[in-house]
Amino acid sequence: MIAEAGLAALWIAAALALLQLALAVTGIRFDRDDLSAAIRPVAIAQGVLTALAMLLLIAVFTRSDMSVLLVAENSNSMKPMIYKIAGAWGNHEGSMLLWVTILGIAGGAVALFEKRLEPRTLTATLGAQALIAMGFYAFLLISSNPFARIWPPPADGQGLNPLLQDPGLAFHPPTLYFGYVGLSVAFSFAVGALVMRDVGPAFARAMRPWVLGAWIFLTLGITAGSYWAYYELGWGGWWFWDPVENASLMPWLAATALLHSVTVLATRDGLRAWTIMLAVVAFSMSMIGTFLVRSGILTSVHSFAVDPERGTFILALLAIYIGGALALFGWRIGTVRAGNTFELVSREAGLVANNLLLSVMLGIVLIGTLYPLVAQAMGVQLSVGKPFFDKTVGPFALVLVALLYAGPLLRWRRDRVQAVFNRLTVPIAIAALAIAGIFVLAPRAGILPTLGLGLAAGLAAASVAPLWKRDLRRTPLFTYGMVVAHLGVAVSLAGMASDSAFTVERLVAVRVGQAVQVGPYSVTLKGLKPAVGENWSAIEGVLEAQRGDGAPFPMGPQQRFFSAPPTVTNEAAIKTVFDGQLYTTLGDADGQGRRQLRLWWKPFVTLIWLGGGLIALGGLLSLLGRLLRETRSARRARKRAREEADWGEEAWT
Amino acid sequence: MKVTRILIWLPLALFAILLVVVATGIVKPGDRTIHSRMVGKPLPAFTLKPMVANKPGLSPQGFREGGPRLLNVFATWCIPCIAEAPELMELKRRGVAIDAVAVRDTPGDVRKFLARHGDPYARIGDDAKGEVQLEIGSSGVPETFVIDGQGKIAMQHIGAIRRDDIPDIMAALERAK
């Protein structure tokens, strides 16, 4: 019954989406504001129904109802509860339902909370959101029904990929999806603005919090995903330029650019067409990313089933939505009045440079990810790997970091080069000193890592410079947000550069009792012992690590054997200290009584994810700051209106 | 004004190209049987120095005696190469002799790769610039060639070897005897 109720909720939600679109079209076409007024409740109801469908899917998973095909294929009654819940989205159908659910919730949230947008633009925006939703409902209901039954039901299910059985990963896809799909709001805003020819500062101020919200989730999702890959895959790397990772990076790059250009539109009424374009591109990248991952046309470590029929379906949706939005852009943007212009040295110009660099990086990642497909179309099979991306994206990222020194210190409209350099003296001096120092102390660190560390040190100073000589209590919260986010970039960059410059790696085969030196630590293999979990058994290496004369501590990397489906995974043991991480994994026996150990000492590697967290926190502070300012100014406006009314009455009596 | 007009429609044009590329990817899913123009011809002359200390390097002389062998073109930075590693180990278990060209790689990385994913290779040549790879008619990694006992290329397999490819490869080795 539960499964049928879920399916019914989905069908009704799809019908509501159709109604929502019809209301928007007739409301705008025939100037019927009474029809447009009905669109808000419909959108909210649609959001509630999709959320209900998702909850019902989670319910059949928690009850291990094996008569539902999806549960039988992806779950197992022995699984811990948390993975039964996560199993609901750890597969194709469930993750598409999650996608649609977030789309519905996002539309409902816009209907519920968006008060600043021009009413007709809001109607057009909700119409666009409904149009997107309808395509994905069709996809779900026609080719990927998550509630399909199986008869007779099997005795037990096949289980979930053990790599995915990890508390971090359980909540990684929902976070990322909130980011991906949250960008649909920006897309719909852009379509709404194009339809109503309403592009200006008010529109930008209305769109900004939604973009910020989606971007925070994306940032968190990417950071968490990177850390997951780092400790779960046992390769000691934190970014692999895998198509699935690129699929999450591309919308992030576009959203980061959008976040900065929307500020120009909101503050100075410039970059109108560009901001609209970025809003379209950001969500397009989300959809292309989902398509690349889901259709299985690119080889990836994230194994998903290849299914040409589903691939074709999503491709058709992409063609309609992205092609449609770009065509609308071409058709309408000429009729949007040009915005304000600015000088070559100004905050606006800095933000344009930021946008160009981010766009170039986005282009490189997109081309690099798709190049194997292009080559395949020409009859060649190849893969584009880490060396390509590191060499091409890396330099642009460093230029962007250098630009980040000056950007926040530039004045709007026009500024003087000399004045900018005066403001930058301290950061540039710090960067130069740091680069020289590293070059002397660690000449073998490599050019890019040395530059990275130096630039990061200077950036740390430059990013807090906007607070210099300001009254800290009167500085708005969103300025703190910017400072924290930019500081996060410096922290993260320092971690990346330190990891690639100073990591020590040892791959050894040792007997019990033998000690290995890695970085400042001495690691001894004390023995091996069995370990058992809820649905796995393991061999655990009993290691003892000691730093200099410090107290020795145990570490237990495991080789885990999962029963359903039968798989072996490496469970790294990681010791985090203030200046880095000791990372250990247990390998195979070599048949001569020795055991393989892989040990890393990674100085300051944790800064990578700490920085990612800071960037997201900066976004959150900005979002809160903007919302706070708005409620305050709204309250002030109300108060002024009341005072005026009082004054009017007094004058009357 | 003209330029702006073109710029406005440029994104749609780029997207159309992207769509065509991706669509061909779906319509023509990974054709793995394209033969290079080198198939049927003897290996070109080359000498590759050893990649790791305990194994010899590679030259065509090594393929002219002792029956058919596999020549695997791989790289440690290539993810499909990791995927095919167990299948190569399976081929080795079945008694197939396998040599390798390591493309744009370093000895340290190769040693780690072999320690982690298994070592099916008898010889590994260091192709630092990917020149030999191109000469033998391979344009990407991973690729695997069946070389008959006279040093002639009998078959080319493009992309990662999967479990269901093993019978074909075994048959080709049998034919090349």
Side-chain angles (χ1 to χ4, degrees):
Chain A
M1 261 313 284
I2 297 180
E4 281 66 31
L7 193 57
L10 266 186
W11 275 105
I12 300 173
L16 284 179
L18 186 61
L19 176 63
Q20 189 175 330
L21 179 64
L23 283 174
V25 172
T26 49
I28 291 172
R29 185 74 186 75
F30 301 107
D31 285 336
R32 290 283 302 268
D33 286 343
D34 51 339
L35 286 181
S36 315
I39 206 166
R40 281 184 190 250
V42 171
I44 294 168
Q46 191 203 325
V48 170
L49 280 170
T50 52
L52 181 67
M54 188 73 223
L55 286 177
L56 290 173
L57 184 68
I58 293 174
V60 290
F61 266 87
T62 54
R63 295 158 63 108
S64 296
D65 182 351
M66 293 304 162
S67 71
V68 175
L69 180 63
L70 197 63
V71 181
E73 280 178 348
N74 296 289
S75 194
N76 185 291
S77 60
M78 295 187 307
K79 246 177 18 172
M81 185 48 102
I82 175 177
Y83 302 124
K84 284 184 184 168
I85 296 174
W89 54 76
N91 56 74
H92 168 77
E93 286 82 354
S95 72
M96 287 315 296
L97 177 59
L98 181 65
W99 171 278
V100 166
T101 301
I102 297 173
L103 199 60
I105 292 176
V110 171
L112 198 56
F113 297 116
E114 185 52 62
K115 300 270 156 59
R116 292 146 298 188
L117 205 57
E118 173 68 22
R120 320 238 5 224
T121 311
L122 179 67
T123 303
T125 300
L126 287 175
Q129 192 78 9
L131 188 62
I132 302 172
M134 278 167 56
F136 285 96
Y137 284 127
F139 177 66
L140 207 55
L141 292 168
I142 294 170
S143 85
S144 309
N145 177 11
F147 295 107
R149 293 275 189 183
I150 178 174
W151 192 262
D156 207 341
Q158 295 167 1
L160 173 75
N161 182 349
L163 274 180
L164 304 183
Q165 299 195 16
D166 174 271
L169 195 69
F171 296 96
H172 169 58
T175 315
L176 212 46
Y177 270 30
F178 264 104
Y180 277 171
V181 188
L183 288 175
S184 70
V185 176
F187 183 91
S188 298
F189 265 69
V191 171
L194 282 172
V195 169
M196 301 310 300
R197 297 189 178 86
D198 171 25
V199 185
F203 160 78
R205 275 196 291 273
M207 180 162 88
R208 180 159 53 190
W210 299 101
V211 178
L212 252 174
W215 180 84
I216 294 167
F217 276 111
L218 259 185
T219 309
L220 282 177
I222 293 174
T223 308
S226 157
Y227 192 67
W228 171 78
Y230 169 78
Y231 78 77
E232 185 70 9
L233 295 182
W235 299 345
W238 51 273
W239 192 263
F240 301 95
W241 297 106
D242 177 83
V244 173
E245 289 174 333
N246 294 349
S248 67
L249 184 64
M250 290 190 287
W252 187 84
L253 288 171
T256 310
L258 176 59
L259 210 56
H260 290 88
S261 84
V262 84
T263 303
V264 178
L265 185 55
T267 321
R268 297 281 313 140
D269 195 10
L271 303 185
R272 291 178 163 196
W274 177 247
T275 303
I276 293 287
M277 178 47 65
L278 277 178
V280 170
V281 166
F283 183 57
S284 300
M285 286 301 152
S286 294
M287 286 197 284
I288 290 175
T290 311
F291 163 74
L292 290 178
V293 174
R294 288 291 146 203
S295 65
I297 56 172
L298 288 175
T299 315
S300 151
V301 281
H302 300 64
S303 55
F304 296 108
V306 181
D307 188 336
E309 189 206 325
R310 283 175 181 166
T312 316
F313 203 126
I314 307 190
L315 188 64
L317 289 182
L318 288 191
I320 295 169
Y321 293 141
I322 305 177
L326 292 176
L328 184 68
F329 177 85
W331 177 39
R332 277 292 171 93
I333 201 69
T335 63
V336 170
R337 220 165 30 80
N340 282 330
T341 52
F342 45 83
E343 299 284 317
L344 193 60
V345 180
S346 65
R347 175 78 72 87
E348 289 95 320
L351 288 168
V352 166
N354 146 303
N355 270 233
L356 288 178
L357 284 165
L358 284 168
S359 305
V360 168
M361 286 155 69
L362 171 61
I364 294 174
V365 176
L366 182 65
I367 290 172
T369 309
L370 290 179
Y371 190 69
L373 265 183
V374 180
Q376 181 179 305
M378 293 188 285
V380 180
Q381 289 253 334
L382 53 79
S383 64
V384 175
K386 196 169 157 58
F388 166 80
F389 289 108
D390 282 350
K391 279 190 193 125
T392 49
V393 178
F396 282 107
L398 287 184
V399 174
L400 185 59
V401 166
L403 178 72
L404 193 43
Y405 279 53
L409 297 174
L410 285 165
R411 290 183 209 288
W412 292 102
R413 292 184 74 180
R414 77 191 310 173
D415 207 335
R416 287 183 313 115
V417 180
Q418 188 58 46
V420 178
F421 270 105
N422 288 346
R423 276 170 243 155
L424 284 173
T425 327
V426 177
I428 291 178
I430 291 178
L433 275 177
I435 290 174
I438 296 160
F439 192 73
V440 171
L441 294 175
R444 302 204 305 146
I447 297 173
L448 279 186
T450 307
L451 270 179
L453 279 169
L455 281 176
L459 180 58
S463 56
V464 294
L467 295 178
W468 187 246
K469 287 186 185 160
R470 270 180 91 146
D471 181 350
L472 291 183
R473 278 192 307 176
R474 300 196 53 167
T475 306
L477 198 53
F478 51 76
T479 306
Y480 281 108
M482 176 190 75
V483 167
V484 170
H486 289 169
L487 190 61
V489 174
V491 169
S492 197
L493 176 65
M496 295 171 194
S498 169
D499 178 45
S500 56
F502 304 123
T503 291
V504 183
E505 180 180 0
R506 294 290 307 273
L507 177 68
V508 287
V510 289
R511 290 176 199 286
V512 171
Q514 220 172 325
V516 185
Q517 190 71 30
V518 53
Y521 285 92
S522 157
V523 179
T524 315
L525 179 63
K526 288 282 181 188
L528 296 165
K529 69 174 186 193
V532 186
E534 271 185 86
N535 56 345
W536 48 264
S537 61
I539 294 180
E540 182 174 314
V542 184
L543 304 183
E544 192 179 82
Q546 190 176 17
R547 183 173 190 162
D549 300 327
F553 55 90
M555 293 184 82
Q558 297 177 340
Q559 246 188 345
R560 282 190 189 170
F561 308 93
F562 285 82
S563 47
T567 321
V568 183
T569 68
N570 268 319
E571 205 69 16
I574 299 174
K575 171 78 176 174
T576 307
V577 287
F578 78 98
D579 62 344
Q581 281 188 332
L582 178 63
Y583 186 116
T584 61
T585 60
L586 185 68
D588 298 323
D590 72 346
Q592 298 155 28
R594 289 183 301 188
R595 196 86 194 177
Q596 272 183 5
L597 283 182
R598 203 168 177 183
L599 312 169
W600 284 271
W601 164 241
K602 292 173 164 290
F604 296 107
V605 67
T606 31
L607 292 184
I608 296 174
W609 306 289
L610 184 68
L614 278 177
I615 295 173
L617 176 68
L620 187 64
L621 290 178
S622 283
L623 183 59
L624 288 178
R626 296 286 174 201
L627 295 180
L628 218 65
R629 166 167 283 199
E630 249 159 49
T631 37
R632 254 191 226 139
S633 63
R635 201 183 304 144
R636 218 173 297 137
R638 269 202 308 277
K639 197 174 160 202
R640 205 177 307 126
R642 211 179 312 125
E643 276 169 6
E644 273 169 21
D646 288 350
W647 184 83
E649 271 172 32
E650 269 168 36
W652 191 250
T653 47
Chain B
M1 192 58 216
K2 268 252 171 79
V3 180
T4 342
R5 282 221 88 107
I6 296 172
L7 274 181
I8 282 175
W9 292 100
L10 186 66
L12 186 61
L14 288 178
F15 177 66
I17 296 172
L18 180 91
L19 214 55
V20 170
V21 167
V22 176
T24 53
I26 292 190
V27 176
K28 217 174 76 173
D31 189 355
R32 284 162 203 286
T33 51
I34 312 152
H35 291 260
S36 109
R37 59 201 155 68
M38 292 301 294
V39 172
K41 294 183 186 164
L43 281 172
F46 62 82
T47 319
L48 289 178
K49 63 177 173 28
M51 188 80 213
V52 288
N54 54 350
K55 285 179 203 289
L58 213 57
S59 71
Q61 282 74 30
F63 294 95
R64 298 211 180 113
E65 56 223 31
R69 308 173 72 86
L70 286 185
L71 177 57
N72 179 240
V73 181
F74 83 109
T76 61
W77 42 264
C78 130
I79 287 167
C81 298
I82 297 172
E84 75 168 1
E87 311 312 330
L88 287 173
M89 291 305 285
E90 170 64 19
L91 284 164
K92 184 194 178 189
R93 200 187 58 78
R94 297 190 187 191
V96 178
I98 309 174
D99 295 333
V101 173
V103 181
R104 278 168 281 169
D105 236 318
T106 62
D109 284 345
V110 171
R111 251 194 328 265
K112 283 178 224 155
F113 183 88
L114 298 181
R116 180 159 186 86
H117 303 291
D119 179 2
Y121 305 123
R123 294 180 281 224
I124 307 177
D126 176 6
D127 191 10
K129 290 183 182 160
E131 286 163 347
V132 172
Q133 179 199 15
L134 289 177
E135 264 179 51
I136 57 178
S138 149
S139 39
V141 278
E143 281 189 26
T144 306
F145 294 84
V146 175
I147 317 283
D148 70 6
Q150 282 81 51
K152 225 160 53 177
I153 300 178
M155 178 190 154
Q156 180 186 25
H157 178 92
I158 300 179
I161 297 175
R162 301 178 179 197
R163 188 58 32 126
D164 9 322
D165 296 325
I166 289 184
D168 287 351
I169 292 173
M170 292 305 290
L173 283 163
E174 195 57 38
R175 278 199 305 275
K177 260 183 189 161

